[in-house]
Amino acid sequence: MKNQNVPNLMKQLAGFAGVIGASALIGFPAWAHINSNTNVASATPTQQVAGNPKTAASPEKVAAAQDIVAIASGDPQFKTLTKALGAAGLVKTLQGKGPFTVFAPTDAAFAALPKGALDDLLKPANKAKLTKILTYHVVSGAVLSTSLKSSDVKSVEGSSLKVVVSGGKVTVGGANVVKADIKASNGVIHVIDKVLMPANAAK
C-alpha cells in the first residue's frame, strides 16, 4: 500500500515544483526590468518598492533625471529665464542631448537690467539679440565647479567668458556664481546674480 502511494506522491511533488518554476520565470523578467531599466525618479511607487525597498530617490537624483529646461521651469527663481528661453526659441536646444553648462541668471538679475530693457528683449523683433545674449550664458560640455579655473572659456554665442576662481569664490563675466552644480540629465546649471552681455549684443 505504501509503495503504491510513492508514484502518486512523486507526481504531486513534480507538479508542485513545476508551478514554482513557472512562477519564478514569470516573476524574474519583471524584477530585472525594474532594476536594470527603470529610473527611480520616474518609477511608480510599486516599482520603487520592488526595485529598492530601502532607498528612496534623493532630490539630487530626481533633479539629475530632468533636463536643463525642466529644472529651470520648475524653479521659481528662473521664471524670467524660462520665459526668455521660450521667446528666443532655445527650449528645444536646451532639451537636447548636450551636454551644456548654463550660467543661469536669477529673476533678480533680470530685474536689475535698465528699465524697459527686458520687455524690449522679449519682443519678437529682438529675437536675434535675445538669442545672442542667452547663448552667451551657455558653454559646451558639462563643467562642474570643481573643474572651473581662472581662464577664458568660449560660449555657444561665440564670444569668450572670463572665469575667475579666487578665495573660494567664482565669477563668470563679472557675475558671482551664487549656487553651483545643479546637475541635469543633459548638463549642469550654475546660478549667477547678473545677466551677462556679450560685447556685440547690440548688433
Side-chain angles (χ1 to χ4, degrees):
M1 186 72 179
K2 290 182 180 179
N3 292 337
Q4 291 177 351
N5 289 333
V6 170
N8 291 332
L9 180 61
M10 292 300 293
K11 287 181 181 180
Q12 290 175 4
L13 289 173
F16 182 66
V19 170
I20 294 176
S23 298
L25 289 172
I26 293 171
F28 179 75
W31 178 90
H33 173 74
I34 290 170
N35 283 271
S36 63
N37 297 322
T38 302
N39 187 302
V40 176
S42 60
T44 64
T46 301
Q47 288 174 320
Q48 289 184 16
V49 171
N52 194 342
K54 295 183 180 180
T55 305
S58 68
E60 185 181 39
K61 288 184 178 180
V62 172
Q66 298 178 308
D67 60 50
I68 288 170
V69 175
I71 292 175
S73 61
D75 193 322
Q77 68 180 329
F78 295 136
K79 289 180 181 179
T80 305
L81 176 60
T82 301
K83 184 177 181 180
L85 290 174
L90 292 174
V91 171
K92 287 187 177 180
T93 299
L94 292 178
Q95 287 176 329
K97 184 177 180 180
F100 307 103
T101 296
V102 177
F103 297 102
T106 61
D107 288 351
F110 278 104
L113 290 173
K115 186 177 180 180
L118 178 60
D119 290 337
D120 192 51
L121 284 172
L122 293 174
K123 292 178 180 178
N126 292 320
K127 181 178 179 180
K129 182 179 179 180
L130 178 61
T131 300
K132 183 181 288 288
I133 291 171
L134 293 176
T135 53
Y136 187 54
H137 292 74
V138 182
V139 174
S140 294
V143 185
L144 296 175
S145 61
T146 51
S147 299
L148 288 173
K149 59 183 180 179
S150 295
S151 62
D152 290 339
V153 295
K154 189 175 182 180
S155 69
V156 171
E157 181 268 338
S159 302
S160 293
L161 287 166
K162 187 174 184 62
V163 177
V164 177
V165 181
S166 179
K169 296 182 179 180
V170 179
T171 61
V172 180
N176 295 302
V177 174
V178 295
K179 184 176 182 180
D181 301 337
I182 301 175
K183 296 177 183 178
S185 61
N186 60 342
V188 62
I189 298 172
H190 302 300
V191 184
I192 57 176
D193 62 358
K194 180 182 176 182
V195 177
L196 309 176
M197 292 288 180
N200 57 353
K203 295 181 181 180

